[in-house]
Amino acid sequence: MAYQQSFEVTSRGRGTSEITAEVARMVRASGITTGLANVFVQHTSCSVVLTENADPSVRRDLETLAARWAPDGDAAYQHDNEGDDDMAAHGRNILAGASLSIPVGDGGLRLGTWQGIYLWEHRTISHRRRVVVTVIG
């Protein structure tokens, strides 16, 4: 059995937006009690990540790490059509990923105590992002 639904997130620019509740709602709506939920973002300059949801400094520190891995405005970048953050955002997407797989049990997400699902915007300005949730069981 498979179930698929999508939703939009409007980011505030670079940073994270928690989407755990919306993904959990879709998993419950699927009626699937045991299986796997795939969360996929249909864009190449943002990511979906599973990270700590208790201490927001973790997500701020992830921004610091990402700035080291893929800095904005590097003179070596050839792709900068949409600004200094363009190529860095694509690089961060490759490093952080565009999808997650999360176990489903008892009709819900089997997340750990301190885990949350986030859309991680890599661009510096606000964007509308589409997230697809597929539940298979």
Side-chain angles (χ1 to χ4, degrees), residues 66-103:
R68 292 177 185 164
W69 301 330
D72 291 339
D74 189 312
Y77 297 156
Q78 294 178 31
H79 179 78
D80 61 0
N81 297 348
E82 298 176 26
D84 284 348
D85 66 333
D86 194 9
M87 187 57 221
H90 293 305
R92 293 171 187 200
N93 166 269
I94 294 295
L95 294 169
S99 69
L100 296 171
S101 292
I102 303 159

Short mmCIF file of all heavy atoms in Angstrom, two decimals, residues 66-103:
data_model
loop_
_atom_site.label_atom_id
_atom_site.label_comp_id
_atom_site.label_asym_id
_atom_site.label_seq_id
_atom_site.Cartn_x
_atom_site.Cartn_y
_atom_site.Cartn_z
N ALA A 66 27.87 24.80 7.58
CA ALA A 66 27.56 24.90 6.15
C ALA A 66 28.31 26.06 5.50
O ALA A 66 28.76 25.95 4.35
CB ALA A 66 26.05 25.05 5.94
N ALA A 67 28.47 27.15 6.22
CA ALA A 67 29.22 28.30 5.68
C ALA A 67 30.68 27.94 5.44
O ALA A 67 31.31 28.47 4.53
CB ALA A 67 29.11 29.49 6.63
N ARG A 68 31.20 27.02 6.22
CA ARG A 68 32.58 26.56 6.02
C ARG A 68 32.67 25.59 4.84
O ARG A 68 33.62 25.60 4.08
CB ARG A 68 33.10 25.88 7.28
CG ARG A 68 33.29 26.84 8.43
CD ARG A 68 33.73 26.13 9.68
NE ARG A 68 33.79 27.07 10.79
CZ ARG A 68 33.85 26.68 12.05
NH1 ARG A 68 33.89 25.39 12.36
NH2 ARG A 68 33.88 27.58 13.00
N TRP A 69 31.67 24.71 4.72
CA TRP A 69 31.67 23.71 3.66
C TRP A 69 31.42 24.32 2.29
O TRP A 69 32.02 23.89 1.30
CB TRP A 69 30.59 22.66 3.89
CG TRP A 69 30.66 21.89 5.17
CD1 TRP A 69 31.79 21.56 5.87
CD2 TRP A 69 29.56 21.35 5.89
NE1 TRP A 69 31.45 20.86 6.99
CE2 TRP A 69 30.09 20.70 7.03
CE3 TRP A 69 28.19 21.35 5.69
CZ2 TRP A 69 29.29 20.05 7.96
CZ3 TRP A 69 27.38 20.70 6.62
CH2 TRP A 69 27.93 20.06 7.73
N ALA A 70 30.51 25.28 2.24
CA ALA A 70 30.10 25.88 0.95
C ALA A 70 29.86 27.37 1.17
O ALA A 70 28.72 27.81 1.33
CB ALA A 70 28.85 25.19 0.42
N PRO A 71 30.93 28.16 1.17
CA PRO A 71 30.79 29.60 1.44
C PRO A 71 30.13 30.34 0.28
O PRO A 71 30.30 29.99 -0.88
CB PRO A 71 32.23 30.07 1.65
CG PRO A 71 33.06 29.09 0.89
CD PRO A 71 32.33 27.77 0.97
N ASP A 72 29.37 31.37 0.62
CA ASP A 72 28.79 32.24 -0.40
C ASP A 72 29.89 33.01 -1.13
O ASP A 72 30.91 33.36 -0.54
CB ASP A 72 27.85 33.27 0.25
CG ASP A 72 26.59 32.66 0.81
OD1 ASP A 72 26.22 31.56 0.39
OD2 ASP A 72 25.97 33.31 1.67
N GLY A 73 29.65 33.27 -2.42
CA GLY A 73 30.49 34.18 -3.18
C GLY A 73 31.92 33.75 -3.44
O GLY A 73 32.77 34.59 -3.72
N ASP A 74 32.21 32.47 -3.38
CA ASP A 74 33.56 32.00 -3.66
C ASP A 74 33.92 32.37 -5.09
O ASP A 74 33.18 32.10 -6.03
CB ASP A 74 33.62 30.48 -3.47
CG ASP A 74 35.03 29.92 -3.52
OD1 ASP A 74 35.78 30.27 -4.46
OD2 ASP A 74 35.38 29.12 -2.64
N ALA A 75 35.07 33.00 -5.27
CA ALA A 75 35.50 33.46 -6.59
C ALA A 75 35.68 32.31 -7.58
O ALA A 75 35.66 32.54 -8.80
CB ALA A 75 36.79 34.26 -6.47
N ALA A 76 35.84 31.09 -7.10
CA ALA A 76 36.02 29.94 -7.98
C ALA A 76 34.71 29.45 -8.59
O ALA A 76 34.72 28.71 -9.56
CB ALA A 76 36.69 28.79 -7.22
N TYR A 77 33.56 29.87 -8.03
CA TYR A 77 32.27 29.45 -8.57
C TYR A 77 32.03 30.07 -9.93
O TYR A 77 32.25 31.26 -10.13
CB TYR A 77 31.11 29.87 -7.67
CG TYR A 77 31.09 29.28 -6.27
CD1 TYR A 77 30.41 29.95 -5.25
CD2 TYR A 77 31.69 28.08 -5.96
CE1 TYR A 77 30.35 29.44 -3.97
CE2 TYR A 77 31.63 27.56 -4.68
CZ TYR A 77 30.96 28.24 -3.69
OH TYR A 77 30.90 27.74 -2.42
N GLN A 78 31.54 29.26 -10.85
CA GLN A 78 31.13 29.77 -12.16
C GLN A 78 29.63 30.04 -12.19
O GLN A 78 29.17 30.92 -12.90
CB GLN A 78 31.50 28.77 -13.25
CG GLN A 78 33.00 28.61 -13.40
CD GLN A 78 33.36 27.58 -14.45
OE1 GLN A 78 32.63 27.38 -15.44
NE2 GLN A 78 34.47 26.90 -14.25
N HIS A 79 28.87 29.27 -11.41
CA HIS A 79 27.41 29.40 -11.40
C HIS A 79 27.00 30.39 -10.31
O HIS A 79 27.03 30.08 -9.12
CB HIS A 79 26.76 28.03 -11.13
CG HIS A 79 25.27 28.08 -11.07
ND1 HIS A 79 24.48 28.15 -12.20
CD2 HIS A 79 24.42 28.07 -10.02
CE1 HIS A 79 23.22 28.17 -11.85
NE2 HIS A 79 23.15 28.13 -10.51
N ASP A 80 26.63 31.58 -10.73
CA ASP A 80 26.18 32.60 -9.77
C ASP A 80 25.03 33.42 -10.36
O ASP A 80 24.86 34.59 -10.06
CB ASP A 80 27.31 33.51 -9.33
CG ASP A 80 27.94 34.28 -10.49
OD1 ASP A 80 27.50 34.12 -11.65
OD2 ASP A 80 28.87 35.06 -10.22
N ASN A 81 24.23 32.76 -11.21
CA ASN A 81 23.15 33.43 -11.94
C ASN A 81 22.18 34.18 -11.02
O ASN A 81 21.64 35.21 -11.41
CB ASN A 81 22.34 32.43 -12.76
CG ASN A 81 23.17 31.75 -13.83
OD1 ASN A 81 24.28 32.18 -14.12
ND2 ASN A 81 22.64 30.69 -14.40
N GLU A 82 21.93 33.65 -9.84
CA GLU A 82 20.93 34.24 -8.95
C GLU A 82 21.55 34.92 -7.74
O GLU A 82 20.85 35.20 -6.77
CB GLU A 82 19.94 33.17 -8.51
CG GLU A 82 19.16 32.58 -9.67
CD GLU A 82 18.24 31.44 -9.25
OE1 GLU A 82 17.82 31.40 -8.07
OE2 GLU A 82 17.95 30.59 -10.09
N GLY A 83 22.86 35.16 -7.76
CA GLY A 83 23.50 35.85 -6.65
C GLY A 83 24.62 35.07 -6.02
O GLY A 83 24.90 33.92 -6.38
N ASP A 84 25.29 35.71 -5.04
CA ASP A 84 26.44 35.11 -4.37
C ASP A 84 26.11 33.83 -3.62
O ASP A 84 26.99 33.00 -3.39
CB ASP A 84 27.05 36.11 -3.39
CG ASP A 84 27.87 37.19 -4.06
OD1 ASP A 84 28.17 37.05 -5.27
OD2 ASP A 84 28.23 38.16 -3.37
N ASP A 85 24.84 33.66 -3.21
CA ASP A 85 24.47 32.47 -2.46
C ASP A 85 24.00 31.31 -3.34
O ASP A 85 23.70 30.23 -2.84
CB ASP A 85 23.38 32.81 -1.44
CG ASP A 85 22.06 33.21 -2.10
OD1 ASP A 85 22.08 33.71 -3.23
OD2 ASP A 85 21.02 33.03 -1.44
N ASP A 86 23.96 31.52 -4.66
CA ASP A 86 23.37 30.54 -5.58
C ASP A 86 24.11 29.21 -5.57
O ASP A 86 23.55 28.16 -5.26
CB ASP A 86 23.32 31.14 -6.99
CG ASP A 86 22.44 30.36 -7.96
OD1 ASP A 86 21.72 29.45 -7.52
OD2 ASP A 86 22.47 30.68 -9.15
N MET A 87 25.38 29.21 -5.93
CA MET A 87 26.14 27.96 -6.00
C MET A 87 26.34 27.35 -4.62
O MET A 87 26.26 26.13 -4.45
CB MET A 87 27.48 28.18 -6.70
CG MET A 87 28.24 26.88 -6.97
SD MET A 87 27.25 25.73 -7.97
CE MET A 87 27.60 24.20 -7.15
N ALA A 88 26.55 28.19 -3.62
CA ALA A 88 26.70 27.68 -2.25
C ALA A 88 25.44 26.91 -1.84
O ALA A 88 25.54 25.85 -1.20
CB ALA A 88 26.97 28.82 -1.29
N ALA A 89 24.27 27.42 -2.21
CA ALA A 89 23.01 26.75 -1.87
C ALA A 89 22.92 25.38 -2.54
O ALA A 89 22.48 24.40 -1.93
CB ALA A 89 21.82 27.62 -2.26
N HIS A 90 23.35 25.28 -3.80
CA HIS A 90 23.34 23.98 -4.48
C HIS A 90 24.31 23.01 -3.81
O HIS A 90 23.99 21.83 -3.62
CB HIS A 90 23.71 24.15 -5.96
CG HIS A 90 22.70 24.91 -6.75
ND1 HIS A 90 21.36 24.57 -6.81
CD2 HIS A 90 22.83 26.02 -7.52
CE1 HIS A 90 20.72 25.42 -7.59
NE2 HIS A 90 21.59 26.32 -8.03
N GLY A 91 25.47 23.50 -3.43
CA GLY A 91 26.45 22.65 -2.75
C GLY A 91 25.94 22.15 -1.41
O GLY A 91 26.11 20.98 -1.06
N ARG A 92 25.28 23.03 -0.68
CA ARG A 92 24.74 22.64 0.62
C ARG A 92 23.63 21.60 0.47
O ARG A 92 23.49 20.70 1.30
CB ARG A 92 24.22 23.87 1.36
CG ARG A 92 25.34 24.81 1.76
CD ARG A 92 24.83 26.12 2.30
NE ARG A 92 25.94 27.04 2.51
CZ ARG A 92 25.88 28.09 3.31
NH1 ARG A 92 24.77 28.37 3.97
NH2 ARG A 92 26.94 28.87 3.44
N ASN A 93 22.85 21.71 -0.61
CA ASN A 93 21.82 20.71 -0.89
C ASN A 93 22.45 19.34 -1.13
O ASN A 93 21.96 18.32 -0.62
CB ASN A 93 20.99 21.13 -2.11
CG ASN A 93 20.14 20.01 -2.67
OD1 ASN A 93 20.59 19.29 -3.56
ND2 ASN A 93 18.94 19.85 -2.16
N ILE A 94 23.53 19.31 -1.89
CA ILE A 94 24.22 18.03 -2.15
C ILE A 94 24.74 17.43 -0.84
O ILE A 94 24.62 16.23 -0.61
CB ILE A 94 25.38 18.23 -3.15
CG1 ILE A 94 24.86 18.65 -4.52
CG2 ILE A 94 26.27 17.01 -3.23
CD1 ILE A 94 24.03 17.60 -5.22
N LEU A 95 25.30 18.27 0.03
CA LEU A 95 25.88 17.78 1.28
C LEU A 95 24.82 17.35 2.30
O LEU A 95 24.99 16.36 2.98
CB LEU A 95 26.79 18.85 1.88
CG LEU A 95 28.04 19.16 1.06
CD1 LEU A 95 28.73 20.40 1.60
CD2 LEU A 95 28.99 17.97 1.04
N ALA A 96 23.74 18.12 2.41
CA ALA A 96 22.72 17.82 3.42
C ALA A 96 21.64 16.88 2.91
O ALA A 96 21.03 16.16 3.69
CB ALA A 96 22.09 19.12 3.93
N GLY A 97 21.35 16.91 1.61
CA GLY A 97 20.40 15.96 1.04
C GLY A 97 19.02 16.53 0.79
O GLY A 97 18.60 17.51 1.42
N ALA A 98 18.33 15.91 -0.14
CA ALA A 98 16.99 16.33 -0.54
C ALA A 98 15.91 15.38 -0.06
O ALA A 98 14.73 15.62 -0.31
CB ALA A 98 16.93 16.46 -2.07
N SER A 99 16.28 14.30 0.63
CA SER A 99 15.25 13.37 1.10
C SER A 99 15.69 12.66 2.38
O SER A 99 16.87 12.56 2.69
CB SER A 99 14.91 12.34 0.02
OG SER A 99 15.98 11.46 -0.19
N LEU A 100 14.68 12.16 3.08
CA LEU A 100 14.87 11.37 4.30
C LEU A 100 13.95 10.16 4.25
O LEU A 100 12.85 10.25 3.69
CB LEU A 100 14.45 12.17 5.54
CG LEU A 100 15.19 13.43 5.91
CD1 LEU A 100 14.43 14.13 7.04
CD2 LEU A 100 16.59 13.09 6.36
N SER A 101 14.35 9.08 4.87
CA SER A 101 13.48 7.93 5.08
C SER A 101 13.35 7.73 6.58
O SER A 101 14.36 7.66 7.30
CB SER A 101 14.06 6.68 4.43
OG SER A 101 14.05 6.82 3.03
N ILE A 102 12.10 7.63 7.06
CA ILE A 102 11.84 7.52 8.49
C ILE A 102 10.90 6.33 8.71
O ILE A 102 9.87 6.22 8.04
CB ILE A 102 11.19 8.81 9.02
CG1 ILE A 102 12.10 10.00 8.73
CG2 ILE A 102 10.90 8.70 10.52
CD1 ILE A 102 11.41 11.32 8.75
N PRO A 103 11.22 5.45 9.65
CA PRO A 103 10.34 4.31 9.93
C PRO A 103 8.97 4.77 10.44
O PRO A 103 8.85 5.78 11.14
CB PRO A 103 11.07 3.54 11.03
CG PRO A 103 12.47 4.04 11.03
CD PRO A 103 12.42 5.43 10.48
#
